[in-house]
C-alpha cells in the first residue's frame, strides 16, 4: 500500500517529476581540483565482497533505508514538503527544525548505494522523493519547510522567532544546516545518476545563499549556528566551478568568532574566537567536526597555512586528550559536547554516532592532505568500534549516544538503556544511512606516484593510475585475523609504490599520542611476502612500501599477528585508573552481564591467559575468554536486550 506522500507524487504530479529531470536549465559541470595531494578511489570503482563489511552495507541498503523512509512518512517528514508547497493542508509535523535533513541523508545514502549497486526501482523511488522535496521549495530557492509552513511557529520551543521571518534565530533555526545536507546529498545523487533533478534544487538554494549572506549592501552578516553548509557549498563548487560557493563557505568560516559580524553564539557552536585561533576542541562535537572538515577543505583548496595550522592543532588536542578508546568523541550529554582535557566518563559518555561519522569525514580529508598514517589509525578505530555500534545487528535499532558502561538502569540513549527504533531527533539513524554505503571509498587511495591500501577488506578495485588501469583484488578475514592477500594486475607493466598500511595496533600504538598505551608490545612483527618470497622490509612511516615495476598477477601477502591486548589510559583520565580494556586487532571488547554471571566481581590482569575463538553468535564474532569470563566486540553489545556492560574492567594486581 502506498503511503500518502508517495501517492501524491507518483500519481498526482508525474509531470513534475518528468520536468525536473529533463526540462530545467542544466548547469554546466566542471572538473575542479580539490587541492588534495591524495585522492580516494571512488566507490564506483571498488566492489566490496568482505564478510565483515558487506553484510553491514547490505543491511543498510536492503533494510535500513526502507525502514527510515517509512519512519519519515509516519512522522510527517515527507508531508512537510507537500504542506509547504500547498499540495496538502496542515501544520508542521515532527519535533525538530532540521527534520528535512533526514530525507536528504536517506537520498544521499541510497545514492551511494546506486553507485556500487545500480537499482532501477531505488533510482525511481529517489526521483519520487526528490519530486516531493521540490514541491516544498519556494520560488526563489528557499527551502526549510517549517519556516515556509508557519514562519512564527517552529517545531521546537528552543528556536527563537522574535520576528518570525527567514534567517531569524540562526543559532538554532537550522536553516543553513538544512541547506548543507541538501547540498551534500544532491552532490552524491548527481555523481551516482548523472541526473540534475536534485542538483538543480540545491543550486537554486545555494544561489539564494550567495545573494543573501555577506558584507555587501543589503546582505545579512551572519554565520550558521550548526555547521555543514560550508562543506556542502564546497562540494557544489567542485561540481560547477562557481567560485561564489567557495567564497561563501570561507566567509562563514572566517567570520566565526567575529563579534563585529554578528552576535556570537559562543563555544557551543565554535563561535567564540576566529577559527584560525582555535586550538582546543570545544562545544557541540558534531558541529565541531563538520566545521573542521570544511576548514581542511579550505586549507587544501586555497593553500591556506593558517587554516592548516588550526586544524592540526585541533586534531592534536582531540586525539591526544579528548578521544575515547573506541574512537568516540564528545564526553558530555550537556550540550552534546566535548569535555575538558582528559574528561572521559564511561557511564555518562555521550559519543554521539553523528560525531563519529563526522570525525571519519574529517580524518579522511586530513589524510588526503598529508598522507599520514595516523589519520587512518583514527578512522579504523572509530569505524570498527564507536561508529557501527550505532546500528543494531538487525538494522532497525540505533544508538544516539554510545556509552562505555551501562548499569542497565541509566537511560543514556534518549530515554532508553538499549538501542531504540527511532528518535524524535533522528539525525543519527539517517547519518548512518548516508555514511555506511560510502565505506568502499575509504579502502584505496592514490597520488601521482603511489597507490595506498589503507583499510583491509575483501574487495576488487579498478584504479585509473596515470592512464593505466590497475586492478587490485584483496582477500582477507580481517578483523578476525590479520592475513591479507592482494593481487596486483596493471593493464600494462608500470612502476609505482604500493603503500600498505600497518595499523596502529600492529605498531603497538593504540592511538597517536599518549592518551592510551598497551601493557606490553606484540611479540611478533608484521611480515610481507611478494610473489612467494618474504621481503626484509621495515615499516616506513606506518607503511610497508614496495616500489617496483608491477606486472599482471603479482601477489602480495601481509601477515599482521594478532593477540589479545590489554590497554591502560593516561593517569590524567581519572575514571579509567586501575582499570584495563581489552582489544583484539582493531576491535575494542566489552563484557556484558548476560555472558558473565559474576559481572560485578569481574577483574582482569595483563598476566591472564586469554583464549580467542570464533562463535556463531551476534552474526558471528571472535570472543575473548579468561577465568570463566567472556568478552565480545564493543560494536555488538546491547543486541540481546538490556544488559550491564563495561569497556574498562577493574585490574587484578595480585
Amino acid at each position: 500500500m502506498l503511503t500518502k506522500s508517495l501517492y501524491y507524487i507518483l500519481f498526482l504530479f508525474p509531470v513534475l517529476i518528468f520536468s525536473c529531470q529533463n526540462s530545467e536549465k542544466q548547469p554546466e559541470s566542471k572538473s575542479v581540483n580539490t587541492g588534495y595531494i591524495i585522492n580516494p578511489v571512488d566507490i564506483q570503482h571498488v566492489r566490496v565482497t568482505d564478510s565483515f563489511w558487506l553484510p553491514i552495507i547490505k543491511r543498510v541498503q536492503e533494510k535500513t533505508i526502507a525502514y527510515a523512509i517509512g519512519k519519515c512518512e509516519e512522522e510527517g517528514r515527507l508531508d512537510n514538503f507537500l504542506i509547504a508547497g500547498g499540495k496538502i493542508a496542515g501544520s508542521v509535523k515532527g519535533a525538530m527544525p532540521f527534520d528535512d535533513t533526514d530525507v536528504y541523508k536517506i537520498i544521499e545514502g541510497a545514492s551511494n548505494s546506486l553507485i556500487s549497486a545500480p537499482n532501477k526501482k531505488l533510482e525511481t523511488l529517489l526521483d519520487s522523493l526528490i519530486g516531493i522535496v521540490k514541491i516544498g521549495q519556494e520560488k526563489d530557492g528557499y527551502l526549510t519547510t517549517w519556516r515556509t509552513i508557519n514562519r512564527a511557529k517552529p517545531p521546537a520551543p528552543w528556536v527563537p522567532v522574535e520576528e518570525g521571518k527567514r534567517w531569524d534565530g540562526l543559532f538554532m533555526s537550522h536553516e543553513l544546516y538544512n541547506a548543507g545536507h541538501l547540498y551534500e546529498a544532491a552532490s552524491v545523487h548527481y555523481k551516482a545518476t548523472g541526473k540534475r533533478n536534485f542538483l538543480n534544487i540545491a543550486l537554486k538554494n545555494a544561489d539564494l545563499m550567495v545573494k543573501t549572506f555577506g558584507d555587501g549592501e543589503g546582505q545579512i552578516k551572519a554565520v550558521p549556528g550548526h555547521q555543514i553548509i560550508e562543506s556542502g557549498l564546497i562540494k557544489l563548487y567542485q561540481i560547477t566551478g562557481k567560485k561564489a560557493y567557495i567564497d561563501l563557505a570561507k566567509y562563514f568560516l572566517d567570520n566565526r568568532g567575529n563579534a563585529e559580524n554578528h552576535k556570537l553564539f559562543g563555544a557551543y557552536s565554535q563561535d567564540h574566537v576566529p577559527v584560525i585561533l582555535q586550538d582546543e576542541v570545544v562545544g557541540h562535537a558534531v558541529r565541531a567536526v563538520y566545521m573542521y572538515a570544511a576548514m581542511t577543505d579550505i586549507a587544501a583548496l586555497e593553500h591556506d597555512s593558517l587554516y592548516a595550522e588550526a586544524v592540526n592543532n585541533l586534531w592534536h588536542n582531540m586525539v591526544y586528550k579528548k578521544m575515547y578508546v573506541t574512537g568516540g568523541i564528545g564526553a558530555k550529554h550537556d550540550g552534546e559536547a566535548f569535555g575538558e582535557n582528559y574528561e572521559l566518563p564511561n557511564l555518562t559518555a555521550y559519543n554521539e554516532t553523528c560525531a563519529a561519522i563526522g570525525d571519519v569525514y574529517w580524518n579522511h580529508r586530513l589524510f588526503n592532505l598529508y598522507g599520514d598514517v595516523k589519520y587512518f589509525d583514527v578512522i579504523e578505530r572509530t569505524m570498527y568500534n564507536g561508529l557501527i555500534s550505532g546500528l543494531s545487528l538487525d538494522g532497525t535499532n540505533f544508538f544516539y549516544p554510545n556509552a562505555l558502561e551501562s548499569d542497565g538502569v541509566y537511560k543514556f540513549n534518549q530515554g532508553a538503556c538499549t538501542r531504540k527504533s527511532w528518535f524524535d531527533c533522528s539525525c543519527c539513524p539517517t547519518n548512518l544511512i548516508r555514511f555506511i554505503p560510502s565505506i568502499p571509498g575509504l579502502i584505496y587511495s592514490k597520488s601521482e606516484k603511489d597507490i595506498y591500501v589503507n583499510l583491509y577488506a575483501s574487495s576488487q578495485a579498478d584504479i585509473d593510475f596515470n592512464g593505466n588501469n590497475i586492478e587490485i583484488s584483496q582477500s582477507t578475514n580481517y578483523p578476525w585475523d590479520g592475513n591479507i592477500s592482494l593481487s596486483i594486475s596493471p593493464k600494462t607493466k608500470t612502476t609505482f609504490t604500493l603503500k600498505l598500511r600497518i595499523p596502529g595496533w600492529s605498531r603497538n600504538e593504540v592511538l597517536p599520542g599518549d592518551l592510551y598505551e598497551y601493557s606490553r608490545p606484540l611479540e611478533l612483527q608484521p611480515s610481507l611476502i611478494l610473489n612467494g618470497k618474504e621481503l626484509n622490509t621495515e615499516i616506513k612511516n606506518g607503511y610497508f612500501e614496495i616500489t617496483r615495476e608491477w606486472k599482471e598477477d603479482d601477489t602480495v601477502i601481509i601477515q599482521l599477528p594478532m593477540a589479545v591486548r590489554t590497554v591502560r589510559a593516561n593517569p590524567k583520565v581519572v575514571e579509567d585508573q586501575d582499570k584495563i580494556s581489552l582489544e583484539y586487532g582493531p576491535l575494542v571488547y566489552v563484557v556484558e552481564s548476560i555472558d558473565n554471571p559474576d559481572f560485578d566481581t569481574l577483574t582482569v590482569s595483563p598476566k591472564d591467559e586469554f583464549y580467542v575463538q570464533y562463535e556463531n553468535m551476534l552474526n558471528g564474532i571472535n570472543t575473548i575468554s579468561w577465568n570463566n569470563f567472556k568478552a565480545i566486540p564493543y560494536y555488538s553489545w546491547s543486541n540481546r536486550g538490556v544488559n550491564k556492560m563495561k569497556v574498562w574492567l577493574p585490574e587484578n594486581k595480585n
Side-chain angles (χ1 to χ4, degrees):
M1 181 177 177
L2 286 171
T3 60
K4 180 171 61 177
S5 294
L6 292 185
Y7 170 82
Y8 269 93
I9 197 64
L10 286 172
F11 293 101
L12 299 186
F13 305 110
V15 176
L16 173 71
I17 299 176
F18 181 83
S19 66
C20 69
Q21 288 181 37
N22 296 290
S23 62
E24 292 186 5
K25 183 179 179 181
Q26 306 297 301
E28 183 182 354
S29 178
K30 298 182 180 180
S31 177
V32 176
N33 190 338
T34 64
Y36 290 105
I37 63 170
I38 296 171
N39 293 298
V41 177
D42 191 80
I43 59 176
Q44 67 191 93
H45 299 296
V46 180
R47 185 169 69 90
V48 170
T49 58
D50 192 64
S51 61
F52 184 87
W53 285 112
L54 184 59
I56 297 173
I57 294 170
K58 290 183 70 175
R59 193 180 310 143
V60 169
Q61 291 174 327
E62 297 172 0
K63 196 168 186 177
T64 314
I65 289 173
Y67 177 82
I69 291 174
K71 283 292 185 183
C72 283
E73 166 59 15
E74 179 184 319
E75 299 198 354
R77 307 279 196 274
L78 303 178
D79 281 350
N80 281 340
F81 292 98
L82 300 178
I83 297 168
K87 300 303 180 184
I88 61 176
S91 56
V92 177
K93 298 183 179 182
M96 299 295 163
F98 44 85
D99 282 345
D100 296 353
T101 65
D102 292 330
V103 179
Y104 304 153
K105 287 184 282 185
I106 291 169
I107 295 173
E108 182 176 347
S111 297
N112 275 321
S113 297
L114 289 176
I115 293 174
S116 57
N119 182 321
K120 279 294 182 184
K121 287 186 177 180
L122 179 59
E123 188 174 336
T124 300
L125 175 59
L126 292 190
D127 286 337
S128 300
L129 292 175
I130 292 164
I132 291 175
V133 169
K134 183 176 175 61
I135 288 173
Q137 186 170 37
E138 295 188 29
K139 289 183 179 180
D140 65 354
Y142 182 84
L143 186 51
T144 286
T145 61
W146 76 260
R147 188 76 90 178
T148 299
I149 294 169
N150 189 340
R151 294 183 178 185
K153 190 176 181 181
W158 35 262
V159 178
V161 286
E162 295 175 4
E163 299 180 41
K165 62 182 182 181
R166 288 181 184 178
W167 326 120
D168 183 19
L170 283 176
F171 178 40
M172 284 295 181
S173 73
H174 288 79
E175 289 157 282
L176 303 186
Y177 172 82
N178 292 345
H181 272 299
L182 169 66
Y183 306 163
E184 296 256 339
S187 299
V188 174
H189 180 263
Y190 170 68
K191 182 178 174 182
T193 66
K195 296 178 180 177
R196 302 181 186 268
N197 48 343
F198 202 21
L199 181 63
N200 285 348
I201 294 170
L203 294 176
K204 189 174 183 180
N205 183 265
D207 289 341
L208 175 66
M209 297 296 180
V210 168
K211 179 181 177 182
T212 301
F213 294 98
D215 289 329
E217 185 178 353
Q219 290 185 303
I220 299 172
K221 295 181 178 181
V223 301
H226 194 314
Q227 303 90 318
I228 200 175
I229 189 174
E230 301 88 346
S231 58
L233 283 165
I234 291 167
K235 283 187 169 61
L236 295 183
Y237 162 73
Q238 291 168 347
I239 290 173
T240 66
K242 186 169 182 177
K243 193 171 183 297
Y245 297 153
I246 193 173
D247 288 344
L248 181 57
K250 193 167 188 297
Y251 173 86
F252 284 145
L253 292 168
D254 284 345
N255 282 288
R256 298 198 89 80
N258 179 6
E260 295 182 2
N261 177 267
H262 63 282
K263 183 179 179 181
L264 299 185
F265 304 144
Y268 171 82
S269 286
Q270 299 77 41
D271 189 31
H272 52 307
V273 295
V275 295
I276 59 173
L277 299 180
Q278 295 186 28
D279 58 6
E280 180 181 358
V281 294
V282 296
H284 190 280
V286 180
R287 296 176 188 231
V289 289
Y290 284 174
M291 184 180 85
Y292 306 153
M295 289 172 64
T296 307
D297 282 339
I298 295 295
L301 277 163
E302 307 239 318
H303 307 289
D304 193 312
S305 60
L306 295 178
Y307 269 68
E309 182 180 4
V311 293
N312 282 308
N313 290 337
L314 290 161
W315 184 90
H316 187 278
N317 174 253
M318 182 183 73
V319 177
Y320 280 50
K321 297 179 180 179
K322 297 192 180 186
M323 179 166 279
Y324 281 89
V325 73
T326 56
I329 53 172
K332 301 172 71 173
H333 281 247
D334 183 16
E336 302 181 319
F338 290 104
E340 299 298 322
N341 291 335
Y342 304 106
E343 182 185 355
L344 296 167
N346 295 313
L347 182 70
T348 61
Y350 201 66
N351 288 336
E352 185 177 339
T353 299
C354 284
I357 291 169
D359 190 38
V360 170
Y361 286 139
W362 180 30
N363 273 275
H364 197 204
R365 285 168 165 85
L366 287 166
F367 173 79
N368 294 338
L369 185 59
Y370 297 114
D372 196 313
V373 71
K374 64 186 181 183
Y375 303 117
F376 260 98
D377 288 341
V378 174
I379 288 171
E380 180 179 77
R381 180 164 293 268
T382 303
M383 284 176 56
Y384 277 99
N385 300 291
L387 193 156
I388 57 170
S389 56
L391 180 66
S392 65
L393 298 180
D394 67 8
T396 60
N397 288 277
F398 310 92
F399 277 144
Y400 193 116
N402 292 269
L404 272 75
E405 184 175 335
S406 175
D407 59 8
V409 178
Y410 173 54
K411 295 179 179 179
F412 65 92
N413 187 35
Q414 304 289 310
C417 47
T418 186
R419 290 180 183 83
K420 290 181 68 173
S421 60
W422 200 248
F423 308 97
D424 287 341
C425 173
S426 51
C427 55
C428 292
T430 52
N431 229 354
L432 285 163
I433 287 171
R434 85 170 178 129
F435 173 77
I436 287 176
S438 74
I439 286 173
L442 293 168
I443 300 173
Y444 305 97
S445 302
K446 64 179 182 177
S447 64
E448 287 187 3
K449 298 181 179 179
D450 308 317
I451 291 178
Y452 296 80
V453 183
N454 278 311
L455 293 177
Y456 295 113
S458 294
S459 53
Q460 286 82 47
D462 293 305
I463 302 172
D464 180 1
F465 186 75
N466 300 326
N468 192 3
N469 186 66
I470 313 291
E471 294 183 2
I472 297 182
S473 178
Q474 182 182 167
S475 178
T476 183
N477 195 35
Y478 195 87
W480 309 121
D481 70 49
N483 298 320
I484 303 111
S485 176
L486 299 110
S487 172
I488 318 295
S489 293
K491 186 175 182 180
T492 59
K493 292 181 181 180
T494 189
T495 299
F496 61 87
T497 299
L498 182 68
K499 291 191 172 185
L500 304 159
R501 175 176 158 267
I502 305 304
W505 61 263
S506 189
R507 307 190 321 270
N508 295 304
E509 189 176 78
V510 181
L511 277 168
D514 63 353
L515 191 53
Y516 305 101
E517 66 177 8
Y518 292 113
S519 302
R520 59 185 66 169
L522 278 170
E523 295 179 2
L524 297 174
Q525 297 299 306
S527 63
L528 178 64
I529 299 169
L530 173 64
N531 293 332
K533 180 180 179 181
E534 185 167 354
L535 301 181
N536 185 20
T537 303
E538 293 184 357
I539 299 171
K540 183 178 180 181
N541 297 323
Y543 288 91
F544 275 149
E545 296 187 0
I546 309 174
T547 303
R548 70 191 301 269
E549 184 180 62
W550 296 88
K551 63 183 188 304
E552 187 176 359
D553 293 330
D554 279 336
T555 60
V556 176
I557 295 174
I558 314 164
Q559 294 176 330
L560 305 173
M562 286 187 176
V564 176
R565 315 293 299 279
T566 52
V567 177
R568 289 192 175 94
N570 187 298
K572 294 178 182 178
V573 184
V574 176
E575 285 214 16
D576 296 341
Q577 294 316 296
D578 300 318
K579 296 177 183 177
I580 284 175
S581 67
L582 299 177
E583 295 185 3
Y584 185 75
L587 297 171
V588 174
Y589 275 68
V590 304
V591 293
E592 277 194 296
S593 55
I594 191 172
D595 299 314
N596 298 281
D598 297 325
F599 179 89
D600 291 327
T601 59
L602 180 154
T603 61
V604 66
S605 167
K607 299 176 183 178
D608 286 334
E609 189 171 358
F610 298 100
Y611 301 92
V612 177
Q613 65 176 4
Y614 176 83
E615 294 194 40
N616 190 24
M617 58 186 283
L618 298 169
N619 288 357
I621 57 171
N622 279 355
T623 61
I624 298 174
S625 299
W626 77 102
N627 298 338
N628 294 317
F629 299 125
K630 179 186 288 187
I632 62 172
Y634 173 79
Y635 76 82
S636 67
W637 88 276
S638 197
N639 277 281
R640 296 172 290 177
V642 175
N643 263 295
K644 294 181 179 180
M645 178 276 290
K646 289 180 182 178
V647 170
W648 290 98
L649 313 177
E651 181 178 2
N652 181 354
K653 296 186 177 181
N654 295 331

